[in-house]
Amino acid sequence: MEANHELSVRRPLARKAKLNDVSKRLKRNLGLYLIISPAFFYFVIWHYWPLYGIQIAFKDYMPALGIGGSPWVGLEHFNRFFNAYYFWTILKNTLGISLYGLLVGIPAPIVLALMFNEFRNKRFQTLVQTISYAPHFISVIVAVGILFFFISPTNGVINALLGSINGSKIDFLAEPGYFWPLFVWSGLWQGIGWSSLLYTAAMSGISPDQYEAAYIDGANKFRRIWHVTLPGILPTIVILSILSIGGIMNVGFEKVLLMQTDLNLSTSEVISTYMYKSGILDAQYSFSAAVGLFNNVINFILLLTFNAIAKRAGQTSLW
Amino acid sequence: MLSNIKRTPGEKLFDAVNLLLVLGISVLILYPLLFVLFASMSDPRQMFDNPLLLWPKGFTLQSYSAIFENRDIWVGYRNTILYTCVGTSINVIMTILGAYPLSRRRFFGKHAFTFLFTFTMFFSGGLIPGYLVNQSLGIVNTIWALVLPGAISAFNLIIMRTYFQTQIPHELEESAYADGCGDLRLLYKIVLPLSTPIIAVMILFYGVGHWNSYFDALIYISDREKYPLQLILREILIQNSLKEMLTVAVDDQYGDRMIAREGIKYAIVVVSSLPLLVFYPMLSKFFEKGIMVGAIKG
């Protein structure tokens, strides 16, 4: 009783002191709040205000009525999307292209970085590495343009080679079966060098002592790579993999859009290109917002799941 | 040091195979770029007959002179330079202003702001809600639709914050602060002069992004006079249409014109990508450092 009484007297005082403390700290940081305010307002306007607009996925959005005033329709747009005959095709394409891309795109830069790392001549290493990420700096339009130069059925290099070998030519963009490999391998060409840079940076952080110790213990080159280099870059591998898994539903949508033709739609239509066409081209705002929301929620769930798995496994995680 | 230890024969073989593989990969990566450069300087007719190239075939610059006569390309070039300069300036200033307070130890509310900013990397409203916001702001079909919605990349902001946190001596800030130096002056006089490497990296990251982006312009810009270079490139390279440059009449020279047009495609790729491909090796030292800092998880 006695103790309780004392507490109830003290509590308002403590709260007051805490409030004082808070206002003091706020005042002390006034300058910093002013500095951060443009960034704060930027994120509120262009990243949090759109979250308010997500509700149109459950509404029948009419521009004249505004976001708030449009009538609710519940899950109508989602039902229409899930029941459409193309739903399973575009889901399969989205996941298929992404997984194919991850399967190729995650290990390849690691292997390349390991190969670079074995060079004793560091200036030579810098040279080949700089060459390897040159394609990163060209735009996706130019990259696809260059791809078209090579695969063109009339005057492309690849078809000229095929023609001289067995006399037949392939119209790669008209054959649905070629879309996934074309997309993934041209992406590897553009991205492998740049992605390997992150691993090289991580490798340069491994202490030379570890390599010497391994050498003295009689470990050969492969064993040194396996037991020293790879564990050293494992946190980087985990973080980058989680991030790419979190982007699984997004594919390289800007590039898919460029490589699509009417003839390869059966393997090239993905959720995001579909969202773009129904939303921007056909102005079905609500339906497209529903498709987009479905996409983002799946992405977010995948990210959380893989982050949790990495954490469980005792590995680095995003947070 | 390990590099002074004598290599065993097996390791010598390993190094030789490794060298060959890396050289092979480098050639595979570089060849498509060189191919375009050589093709742009070749006689389009010879190119058309046999596209395999190891050096320019029938050297001529006629494709380049054809580009100079195309108005669309130069208007696009001018627009892209404008968007890149304005956009990158906004990006860098906003990112610095957002990152600096987060790097200060005594900043009250640091975690709340960090969460608010980084959450946007993982969840977004999506294409349409974002479009509606820009529509209600009335910036559709203006330069602002291209430079404001992406003013800060949360990822770059975190890299910048980590740089400020780890590379600027804490004592320097504290002593300046004790001398009565305000936060903004501190940022301007002490922090920024010590941060040129990371600022160079940011200029490059954001600048390349603006130079190469096409999708925002595709959605938001409807006025042809405001098209950036990439949208013009899309018409020529992807949709295969060259306006103004070639008349459509089918006559004796039709075939020649179709072939000349292929030459123009190669030249336009070179003209549009050259600025970046010339600058990046000079800046490479900086951004390797920037990535190194960013790789440290903060």
Side-chain angles (χ1 to χ4, degrees):
Chain A
M1 276 303 280
E2 193 66 26
N4 260 345
H5 180 68
E6 233 178 69
L7 266 182
S8 62
V9 173
R10 257 188 201 163
R11 208 176 274 149
L13 276 175
R15 196 176 290 158
K16 207 172 178 188
K18 210 176 170 195
L19 270 177
N20 262 335
D21 191 37
V22 166
S23 71
K24 217 173 175 179
R25 287 170 81 178
L26 285 174
K27 235 179 244 165
R28 210 178 140 212
N29 284 296
L30 201 62
L32 291 175
Y33 291 122
L34 279 176
I35 293 175
I36 210 169
S37 57
F40 174 76
F41 287 117
Y42 163 74
F43 279 104
V44 169
I45 294 174
W46 277 286
H47 290 272
Y48 288 94
W49 187 5
L51 298 186
Y52 167 77
I54 287 180
Q55 59 176 289
I56 67 166
F58 306 95
K59 285 184 160 182
D60 211 352
Y61 175 67
M62 281 172 249
L65 297 176
I67 293 173
S70 298
W72 293 95
V73 294
L75 295 175
E76 191 189 297
H77 301 297
F78 291 91
N79 284 332
R80 199 184 121 202
F81 180 52
F82 295 144
N83 293 324
Y85 70 94
Y86 46 74
F87 173 73
W88 291 107
T89 312
I90 64 177
L91 189 65
K92 187 189 84 188
N93 290 340
T94 308
L95 292 175
I97 295 175
S98 273
L99 289 176
Y100 190 173
L102 291 182
L103 234 53
V104 173
I106 290 180
I110 299 174
V111 172
L112 189 68
L114 288 173
M115 291 167 83
F116 284 151
N117 200 43
E118 289 305 314
F119 285 126
R120 293 172 169 222
N121 183 341
K122 289 297 152 190
R123 283 181 68 179
F124 182 70
Q125 180 190 341
T126 312
L127 178 73
V128 282
Q129 187 139 36
T130 307
I131 290 174
S132 75
Y133 60 71
H136 173 78
F137 291 95
I138 61 174
S139 73
V140 60
I141 295 206
V142 168
V144 173
I146 293 178
L147 176 70
F148 285 4
F149 292 152
F150 276 78
I151 62 173
S152 156
T154 48
N155 62 338
V157 175
I158 291 176
N159 271 314
L161 279 175
L162 283 176
S164 63
I165 295 168
N166 56 12
S168 68
K169 293 191 169 186
I170 301 170
D171 189 355
F172 288 96
L173 288 175
E175 294 278 343
Y178 287 112
F179 187 85
W180 292 13
L182 277 180
F183 181 86
V184 168
W185 292 98
S186 63
L188 188 70
W189 168 71
Q190 203 177 3
I192 186 170
W194 187 255
S195 317
S196 77
L197 215 54
L198 286 162
Y199 296 111
T200 309
M203 284 173 196
S204 67
I206 301 172
S207 153
D209 300 352
Q210 289 194 45
Y211 287 103
E212 277 169 44
Y215 181 82
I216 289 163
D217 287 346
N220 65 22
K221 214 154 204 171
F222 285 109
R223 292 203 151 264
R224 291 204 292 272
I225 291 174
W226 187 254
H227 291 291
V228 181
T229 315
L230 278 179
I233 60 168
L234 195 59
T236 313
I237 297 177
V238 171
I239 292 279
L240 292 180
S241 304
I242 295 174
L243 283 175
S244 28
I245 287 164
I248 224 168
M249 303 290 278
N250 292 340
V251 200
F253 141 70
E254 299 195 353
K255 194 171 145 196
V256 175
L257 203 58
L258 296 170
M259 288 175 63
Q260 265 181 358
T261 63
D262 289 339
L263 296 170
N264 64 22
L265 270 186
S266 62
T267 54
S268 68
E269 188 80 302
V270 295
I271 294 179
S272 31
T273 53
Y274 183 71
M275 174 175 79
Y276 161 71
K277 287 174 189 167
S278 58
I280 303 290
L281 300 183
D282 302 341
Q284 306 177 48
Y285 290 151
S286 281
F287 178 65
S288 178
V291 176
L293 181 60
F294 166 74
N295 201 48
N296 288 349
V297 167
I298 301 273
N299 253 340
F300 195 58
I301 291 171
L302 283 171
L303 186 81
L304 291 180
T305 313
F306 279 86
N307 195 53
I309 292 173
K311 221 175 202 173
R312 219 6 111 68
Q315 289 299 340
T316 334
S317 57
L318 288 175
W319 54 79
Chain B
M1 273 303 287
L2 206 58
S3 54
N4 298 327
I5 294 166
K6 225 172 162 271
R7 292 179 295 172
T8 64
E11 284 177 347
K12 278 183 184 163
L13 181 70
F14 176 99
D15 284 344
V17 171
N18 188 35
L19 179 68
L20 281 178
L21 282 175
V22 168
L23 286 178
I25 292 169
S26 304
V27 168
L28 273 181
I29 290 177
L30 203 55
Y31 180 69
L33 298 177
L34 286 178
F35 168 84
V36 176
L37 183 67
F38 295 156
S40 71
M41 297 187 287
S42 300
D43 177 12
R45 173 153 284 288
Q46 288 185 41
M47 268 299 296
F48 196 82
D49 294 337
N50 183 6
L52 286 174
L53 267 191
L54 292 174
W55 49 83
K57 226 186 290 186
F59 183 83
T60 165
L61 293 176
Q62 70 178 61
S63 303
Y64 287 97
S65 56
I67 286 188
F68 273 97
E69 288 155 20
N70 185 297
R71 193 174 165 273
D72 274 356
I73 293 174
W74 293 112
V75 171
Y77 223 98
R78 187 201 65 197
N79 290 339
T80 292
I81 292 173
L82 175 72
Y83 300 155
T84 304
C85 291
V86 174
T88 309
S89 312
I90 293 176
N91 290 144
V92 172
I93 293 169
M94 292 283 283
T95 307
I96 290 172
L97 293 180
Y100 172 68
L102 297 185
S103 75
R104 301 298 306 271
R105 266 190 232 172
R106 63 173 174 83
F107 182 49
F108 180 59
K110 185 159 91 176
H111 296 292
F113 279 110
T114 308
F115 177 79
L116 194 79
F117 293 177
T118 48
F119 179 73
T120 61
M121 288 202 284
F122 307 112
F123 193 83
S124 73
L127 185 67
I128 298 300
Y131 183 84
L132 293 179
V133 163
N134 290 321
Q135 213 174 34
S136 39
L137 289 170
I139 57 174
V140 172
N141 204 19
T142 68
I143 176 177
W144 306 114
L146 304 180
V147 297
L148 291 180
I152 298 177
S153 136
F155 191 73
N156 288 347
L157 188 141
I158 296 301
I159 292 181
M160 192 113 199
R161 180 211 62 179
T162 311
Y163 186 93
F164 288 155
Q165 240 168 21
T166 54
Q167 308 291 309
I168 313 276
H170 192 65
E171 299 76 26
L172 211 58
E173 287 181 35
E174 286 304 300
S175 64
Y177 193 70
D179 289 347
C181 183
D183 288 302
L184 204 58
R185 252 174 68 98
L186 192 73
L187 172 64
Y188 183 69
K189 291 270 181 195
I190 294 179
V191 176
L192 289 189
L194 288 172
S195 307
T196 36
I198 196 72
I199 293 173
V201 173
M202 289 298 144
I203 291 175
L204 188 86
F205 280 4
Y206 283 123
V208 169
H210 282 293
W211 189 274
N212 284 341
S213 82
Y214 85 94
F215 191 69
D216 287 342
L218 181 68
I219 294 181
Y220 291 115
I221 304 293
S222 46
D223 187 352
R224 256 188 98 75
E225 282 294 298
K226 294 177 185 164
Y227 271 13
L229 185 59
Q230 296 297 333
L231 277 192
I232 306 293
L233 278 176
R234 174 170 169 267
E235 288 180 355
I236 297 173
L237 294 176
I238 313 292
Q239 297 175 325
N240 220 355
S241 70
L242 269 177
K243 285 191 180 164
E244 295 174 24
M245 201 173 284
L246 304 156
T247 44
V248 255
V250 180
D251 51 29
D252 305 346
Q253 283 110 45
Y254 179 74
D256 285 346
R257 280 202 306 271
M258 294 312 278
I259 288 169
R261 163 178 164 155
E262 292 300 313
I264 290 167
K265 286 186 184 177
Y266 299 124
I268 195 179
V269 164
V270 175
V271 168
S272 68
S273 310
L274 212 57
L276 298 181
L277 291 179
V278 166
F279 279 121
Y280 97 87
M282 295 187 223
L283 289 163
S284 61
K285 245 182 253 159
F286 284 129
F287 53 73
E288 274 162 34
K289 188 170 183 186
I291 281 180
M292 222 85 94
V293 172
I296 307 165
K297 205 185 143 205

